[in-house]
Amino acid sequence: MTTEIYLDGNATSAVLPAAIAAATHVMGELYGNPSSTHATGLKAKALLDSVRARARRILGVGEGRLMFNSGATEGIQTAVLSALCALRERREAGEAIGALLLYGATEHKAVPESLAHWNRLLGLNLELRKLPVDVNGRHDLDVLRALAPACALVCTMAANNETGAISDLAGIEAVLNGTGSGAYWLVDCVQALGKLKLDLAATRIDYAPFSGHKLCAPKGIGMLYVRAGAPFTCLIMGGGQEAGQRSGTENMAGIAALGAVLAALEDGRSFCSHEQLTAFRARLVASLQLAFPGIVFNMPLAGSLPTTLNFSVPGFASKELLDLFDAARVRVSSGSACSAAKAAPSYVLEAMQVPQWRSSSAIRMSFGPLADEALIAAACQRIERCGLALRSSCLIPSELAPSPHDGLIQLGVDGACTWLLTDTASRSCVVIDALAPLTDRVAAYVRCQGYTLAAVLHTSLPDDEAGAARLALLAALDVTPAGCDAFGWPGAALVLGEQTLRRDGLIYLLGRQGAAPRFAFIGALRPEQVDSALVGADTLLCPAHDEHSRICSTLRVSQPDTAVNERGMHLDGPGLQQFLQAYPDALLVDVREPYEHAAGELASFGGRPALSVPLSRLAGYLGEWLQGVPLPLVFFCRSGNRSTKAASCLRRLGYAQAWHVTGGMALGEAMLGTLPLAA
């Protein structure tokens, strides 16, 4: 499986072939400066004027200004600066102005950040306030009606980048007009270009920024519309380009490429119609529903762009779903690309009053008007393969024959841990510290594997939530506990194949009879609080809380909370090449999960074979590595995040020969392209 299915169009889009050709032509042939007065410059000027004229027609600019810039962030800065400078001048002249800078609660972060920045620098000190949205992502017009008379500037968006929610711009305009508000109005039109009909001069919109790369043009080119009569202040001063509105030599390659995209919009042959896009979305929805039982769509389809889906799957974090889709080479995101790297619930979905589990686990799937039948058919096939991968890994209910697993599994939610002890020979398992969000997943796994649930245990006296989680899991598996104490302990030691699980105080000990325990489940205790008479120096201490992803510790590690020595641990592309040439016996270890392999490809790295040790099962391998002959271990995963945790865990436990690949599989494979395989 090598073909990438790109479904993250709201973050950026593939460049239209005609746009690539236009940019290349300008760089090779029409390379003149449009400010020059010789023939070469005049040719460039003619191209510049023709693209601007086409943009004015498509956007319905009328007598307003339309300038080229680097993109929407610059356009938003310019618009906010223009409005706030005018407000300051009016206030200094003795005119009363509104006290509020109002922005939609689901706006792109560029808007409130720009408002706060220029409000402070210009000394206006106006109040920034969010305009709430309803459960469908539309602005609350009743609140707007109450606040409009006090507003100096109102900022909304035409369509939301995370959910595709289409704003009621006509309704907003009616409220502003009906209340007699004198506020300036900024509308972020980034997601609207090519998807919604725009006739800007027919509205009271004062400012509308656009980014070319959201619709098949290259990054670094955009436009800003300013209504005729609306105040304007230059953000960039200099040589007076763009009729003195935006200095700096114009990006002619970008403008030519944008012109090709606009020409394609006008001719109507290159891009899909609204009806075609809606039909494509319906097919994606059907495949998602088939793949993921219980899937919830976070935005009603009827009120959103036909190119955008936002959904959550019960029991799965967005990070897990991203890993799954990426393994299948389907590129999606967990929200706005500008904030996806930050591990936090979506503020857009929170503003829509979406439940917390959905806002923190949402996935955005978006495509552009260049989509075609082949792309959608392949995407649907890959999506359904992702569902099969979860079924074959026993993570959702399945009739498929499972791959048996024997050992220890660590699952986590927001730093809390559930430990699952499994034994293939006896077909039995024990759950320690069950978590409510994992009930369905654990139940599906136990049922799919055909295990008997021997016990659901707690390492501390359970509160109402923990107790409810235990009862929910027992009920899901139709298990009636008998003779258990408040911790779920049945009283006698539990036999799991060749190992025995026993309890001493608040600690559960797992190991062979007569030997030091292999594992100790210590709950909320710190390692130094564990009685050394109960465990050996190398017994792996498994906590109920692992906020820092340490996975396990031992008594041999004298200071488990100190920072691990990461010197030389991170291998980038060139470093990895040199390392593998110097250590040909190094073992590559893939810490991705089984469902990622099932969705994509088996464990390998740049053509080299690798050992599959999922991070969730790493604890079961630690003892073998720590007590065996030291061998160079190089961990890798999709992005480098999980491999960092694995290598750090080994080093913290005293295993110095642990490294990881920075940047994950994509970076490593690119750098290993010419590296000969080890014999």
Side-chain angles (χ1 to χ4, degrees):
M1 185 189 301
T2 57
T3 304
E4 176 180 273
I5 304 295
Y6 185 77
L7 295 178
D8 197 19
N10 285 9
T12 195
S13 58
V15 179
L16 186 72
I20 297 174
T24 302
H25 177 66
V26 164
M27 289 187 287
E29 303 293 335
L30 295 181
Y31 47 79
N33 187 324
S35 296
S36 299
T37 57
H38 49 63
T40 303
L42 292 175
K43 290 178 183 178
K45 179 68 163 54
L47 173 63
L48 177 68
D49 291 342
S50 69
V51 175
R52 195 189 316 275
R54 175 170 276 123
R56 294 180 69 90
R57 288 196 304 272
I58 290 173
L59 301 179
V61 169
E63 298 301 316
R65 308 172 189 239
L66 186 72
M67 64 204 74
F68 295 113
N69 57 22
S70 64
T73 297
E74 181 186 334
I76 290 168
Q77 296 282 335
T78 304
V80 169
L81 175 64
S82 298
L84 267 57
C85 282
L87 289 168
R88 186 174 69 170
E89 291 172 3
R90 288 166 53 190
R91 188 169 70 179
E92 289 175 347
E95 182 180 343
I97 63 171
L100 296 180
L101 301 176
L102 189 67
Y103 64 95
T106 58
E107 293 299 303
H108 190 284
K109 288 294 186 183
V111 171
E113 293 295 329
S114 298
L115 288 172
H117 176 72
W118 291 111
N119 186 42
R120 177 178 58 82
L121 285 186
L122 294 174
L124 278 164
N125 299 316
L126 300 177
E127 179 187 349
L128 272 69
R129 188 177 297 185
K130 293 180 183 178
L131 174 61
V133 298
D134 62 20
V135 295
N136 295 323
R138 285 199 157 193
H139 303 92
D140 190 323
L141 298 186
D142 290 334
V143 173
L144 177 61
R145 189 172 291 106
L147 296 177
C151 289
L153 172 63
V154 174
C155 303
T156 60
M157 60 196 334
N160 187 265
N161 52 304
E162 285 194 33
T163 64
I166 300 172
S167 298
D168 181 8
L169 296 182
I172 293 171
E173 181 166 3
V175 169
L176 294 176
N177 291 337
T179 57
S181 173
Y184 300 120
W185 188 18
L186 163 64
V187 176
D188 175 353
C189 287
V190 168
Q191 296 296 336
L193 185 62
K195 303 167 190 174
L196 299 175
K197 181 174 175 54
L198 296 171
D199 189 6
L200 296 173
T203 73
R204 66 169 282 174
I205 295 171
D206 294 294
Y207 308 99
F210 299 86
S211 276
H213 77 98
K214 304 293 186 177
L215 187 71
C216 306
K219 299 167 185 65
I221 184 64
M223 302 177 287
L224 174 64
Y225 160 79
V226 180
R227 183 180 58 81
F232 178 78
T233 297
C234 291
L235 176 67
I236 301 176
M237 297 297 295
Q241 288 85 354
E242 289 296 282
Q245 300 168 126
R246 197 269 189 184
S247 291
T249 301
E250 291 89 347
N251 173 8
M252 289 306 299
I255 290 170
L258 179 60
V261 171
L262 296 174
L265 277 179
E266 273 198 314
D267 70 30
R269 294 192 299 269
S270 299
F271 295 127
C272 294
S273 67
H274 185 277
E275 291 72 23
Q276 288 173 307
L277 295 173
T278 301
F280 285 160
R281 180 180 64 180
R283 290 171 59 184
L284 292 175
V285 167
S287 289
L288 287 167
Q289 290 173 327
L290 181 64
F292 305 112
I295 187 172
V296 179
F297 292 95
N298 295 316
M299 174 66 205
L301 303 184
S304 65
L305 296 173
T307 53
T308 305
L309 290 167
N310 190 294
F311 59 87
S312 302
V313 179
F316 290 89
S318 58
K319 174 69 168 59
E320 293 172 310
L321 293 172
L322 284 176
D323 290 337
L324 173 66
F325 281 116
D326 220 47
R329 297 187 180 271
V330 177
R331 312 310 184 200
V332 296
S333 71
S334 58
S336 167
C338 301
S339 58
K342 305 176 181 67
S346 164
Y347 71 90
V348 170
L349 296 181
E350 287 185 329
M352 293 168 59
Q353 303 166 50
V354 167
Q356 195 274 338
W357 77 264
R358 284 164 53 189
S359 66
S360 61
S361 62
I363 292 293
R364 180 185 69 185
M365 183 175 284
S366 55
F367 56 97
L370 272 183
D372 57 20
E373 169 63 30
L375 172 71
I376 299 303
C380 290
Q381 184 180 43
R382 299 275 182 91
I383 290 168
E384 292 170 21
R385 178 170 178 165
C386 287
L388 289 174
L390 293 182
R391 287 173 172 83
S392 67
S393 301
C394 291
L395 295 181
I396 57 178
S398 173
E399 301 299 325
L400 299 176
S403 300
H405 171 252
D406 194 30
L408 189 61
I409 300 176
Q410 180 192 32
L411 302 174
V413 176
D414 297 332
C417 297
T418 287
W419 293 92
L420 183 61
L421 288 58
T422 64
D423 178 64
T424 303
S426 64
R427 309 306 297 168
S428 59
C429 67
V430 173
V431 176
I432 299 178
D433 291 322
L435 297 169
L438 297 174
T439 297
D440 291 341
R441 177 188 290 201
V442 173
Y445 186 83
V446 173
R447 191 180 295 111
C448 174
Q449 290 281 354
Y451 290 135
T452 297
L453 183 63
V456 180
L457 307 175
H458 297 284
T459 54
S460 61
L461 192 63
D463 57 18
D464 291 343
E465 183 177 353
R470 174 176 177 268
L471 293 176
L473 181 56
L474 291 169
L477 293 169
D478 298 321
V479 174
T480 302
C484 297
D485 64 13
F487 296 87
W489 184 247
L494 297 171
V495 178
L496 295 171
E498 297 180 353
Q499 300 187 93
T500 300
L501 182 69
R502 59 188 176 87
R503 189 177 79 174
D504 193 304
L506 297 178
I507 298 177
Y508 296 97
L509 305 167
L510 179 67
R512 297 176 185 272
Q513 287 283 4
R518 291 181 60 203
F519 302 98
F521 302 93
I522 63 174
L525 295 176
R526 296 190 301 274
E528 60 269 24
Q529 294 176 308
V530 176
D531 187 349
S532 60
L534 294 178
V535 301
D538 295 313
T539 297
L540 292 168
L541 309 179
C542 306
H545 299 278
D546 190 24
E547 295 88 349
H548 303 293
S549 301
R550 293 188 174 95
I551 303 175
C552 293
S553 59
T554 66
L555 293 185
R556 190 181 295 278
V557 180
S558 58
Q559 293 179 306
D561 291 329
T562 58
V564 64
N565 179 13
E566 295 186 354
R567 180 178 300 173
M569 188 182 83
H570 308 284
L571 298 174
D572 58 11
L576 179 61
Q577 286 184 332
Q578 296 169 8
F579 182 89
L580 293 179
Q581 289 169 351
Y583 298 95
D585 62 334
L587 180 62
L588 290 166
V589 184
D590 184 349
V591 294
R592 294 178 299 156
E593 296 298 319
Y595 58 80
E596 294 175 75
H597 299 147
E601 298 166 348
L602 297 178
S604 66
F605 194 91
R608 294 176 61 111
L611 174 67
S612 174
V613 179
L615 188 67
S616 64
R617 302 177 185 179
L618 182 68
Y621 289 80
L622 293 176
E624 176 184 342
W625 286 331
L626 291 171
Q627 297 168 28
V629 177
L631 178 70
L633 301 175
V634 179
F635 295 94
F636 68 91
C637 63
R638 179 181 70 89
S639 65
N641 181 38
R642 288 171 288 177
S643 59
T644 301
K645 296 175 182 178
S648 295
C649 175
L650 265 295
R651 289 205 173 198
R652 186 176 293 107
L653 294 174
Y655 194 97
Q657 297 196 58
W659 291 265
H660 94 105
V661 180
T662 302
M665 295 180 66
L667 174 63
E669 289 183 352
M671 298 306 298
L672 278 172
T674 58
L675 185 66
L677 301 184

